[in-house]
Amino acid sequence: MSQGFIDFWQTMYRNKKAFSGMIILAIFIFMAIFGPMMASLDMTVNFDGRYKSPSFAHWLGTDYGGRDTFLQLVYGSRDVLSIGLFAALFTLVLGFVIGAVSGFVGGKTDTVLMFITNLFLTVPSFPVLMIVAALVQIKNPVMFSFILAAWSWAPLARAIRSQLLSLKNREFIIACRIMGLKTPYILFREILPNLTPYLAINFIMAAQGAIVASVGLMMLGLAPYSPTNWGMMIQLAVQNTGGIFNPKGYIYLISPIMCLGLFQMACIFFSNGLEEALNPRLRS
């Protein structure tokens, strides 16, 4: 186990893009977990302290209500990253189960599951998410994450099915069938480990996509009100400060946009070297 961790670390370190992405992601995760524990956020309106410039007291200045911009980003990161984490997890489970069963079982099961998958692929996801978010009362991040995952699993399921079509005729799978092992055992104990690098990369990219979608829905006001969510910060910056035209509100507007862009870049860079780090054949 320790040697595997060392090999993973050395591979990621050699890939400078992947290493920088991993460091940035680690900073965001640390900020989301420990940031709210290290500093308290006061959301009380203080008009005397509005639009303050960056200083040691307020690293990114204050917003239109005199509240610390940096602390809002810190507190909002927990909400944003938790939605991305749960949505990516749900996407991975749905995509793997549906794609694996479709490719491994075949026949009418494959036909029905692929028909449903293609149906989800042909429907544009974000407009549907807007409608669902407007109709369904979203009460917590887990429910929000499941709604996001419900319209993002189809591409992964189709890709997993393609992988299964090539894996199910391998010698070790044929041997499992001859031994009479059940389908769930073969899928989760024999096939799943072979797909770990691919699933890990898709987990990162699914989290990235879910965060972008959640911020977009929050910015449009179609998700539960959370004033520190990055999407809501963008909406409030535009509506309450005229952030596009008011120079005093530029920092409050640009900060969540920069965080979102930096997180997306980190996900792309990290996934760039993840497959090499998890696949010994690529390392050699």
Side-chain angles (χ1 to χ4, degrees):
M1 179 65 70
S2 59
Q3 184 60 43
F5 178 77
I6 293 173
D7 292 339
F8 177 85
W9 178 263
Q10 290 176 345
T11 304
M12 295 298 291
Y13 183 76
R14 285 195 299 268
N15 190 327
K16 299 306 179 185
K17 279 188 176 181
F19 185 72
S20 61
M22 183 175 66
I23 295 300
I24 295 172
L25 287 178
I27 293 173
F28 274 114
I29 293 172
F30 180 87
M31 182 172 72
I33 296 175
F34 300 105
M37 302 179 187
M38 299 170 63
S40 58
L41 173 63
D42 184 9
M43 292 297 291
T44 305
V45 176
N46 177 22
F47 287 108
D48 292 334
R50 64 193 314 217
Y51 297 130
K52 284 187 176 180
S53 301
S55 62
F56 285 108
H58 305 285
W59 292 3
L60 292 176
T62 58
D63 66 358
Y64 63 95
R67 297 162 297 203
D68 191 280
T69 301
F70 177 73
L71 289 180
Q72 291 185 63
L73 289 173
V74 170
Y75 274 73
S77 64
R78 175 175 290 186
D79 184 33
V80 170
L81 294 187
S82 62
I83 290 174
L85 174 65
F86 284 117
L89 183 62
F90 294 149
T91 299
L92 221 63
V93 172
L94 288 171
F96 175 77
V97 171
I98 294 174
V101 171
S102 178
F104 190 78
V105 176
K108 293 183 178 180
T109 302
D110 180 31
T111 303
V112 172
L113 290 178
M114 280 302 101
F115 175 78
I116 297 173
T117 301
N118 292 332
L119 188 62
F120 274 82
L121 284 172
T122 55
V123 178
S125 59
F126 194 75
V128 173
L129 287 174
M130 292 175 59
I131 296 172
V132 173
L135 296 177
V136 178
Q137 186 178 3
I138 303 174
K139 298 180 179 180
N140 53 65
V142 176
M143 185 177 180
F144 195 8
S145 302
F146 186 78
I147 291 175
L148 292 172
W151 292 95
S152 57
W153 59 267
L156 178 60
R158 193 167 183 82
I160 293 296
R161 174 183 177 270
S162 300
Q163 297 284 337
L164 261 292
L165 291 176
S166 63
L167 283 175
K168 72 177 185 179
N169 293 321
R170 299 281 182 88
E171 290 80 2
F172 69 99
I173 300 298
I174 295 175
C176 290
R177 286 177 163 177
I178 294 173
M179 293 171 61
L181 298 177
K182 295 182 179 180
T183 299
Y185 180 91
I186 298 175
L187 289 178
F188 290 99
R189 296 296 296 272
E190 300 294 336
I191 292 177
L192 181 59
N194 288 277
L195 297 177
T196 298
Y198 184 77
L199 291 175
I201 294 172
N202 275 273
F203 180 85
I204 299 296
M205 302 313 295
Q208 175 205 2
I211 287 176
V212 173
S214 67
V215 168
L217 292 174
M218 187 71 71
M219 186 176 65
L220 295 173
L222 297 174
Y225 178 78
S226 176
T228 58
N229 185 286
W230 297 345
M232 186 57 66
M233 289 180 67
I234 297 173
Q235 185 197 52
L236 293 175
V238 174
Q239 289 185 350
N240 293 355
T241 68
I244 300 177
F245 309 105
N246 182 6
K248 294 181 179 180
Y250 281 172
I251 295 179
Y252 182 63
L253 173 65
I254 293 174
S255 297
I257 296 175
M258 290 294 294
C259 283
L260 183 62
L262 193 62
F263 182 83
Q264 291 187 74
M265 183 188 72
C267 287
I268 295 171
F269 284 178
F270 181 59
S271 62
N272 181 261
L274 192 58
E275 184 175 9
E276 180 185 355
L278 294 176
N279 194 331
R281 289 177 295 180
L282 293 179
R283 289 202 301 268
S284 61

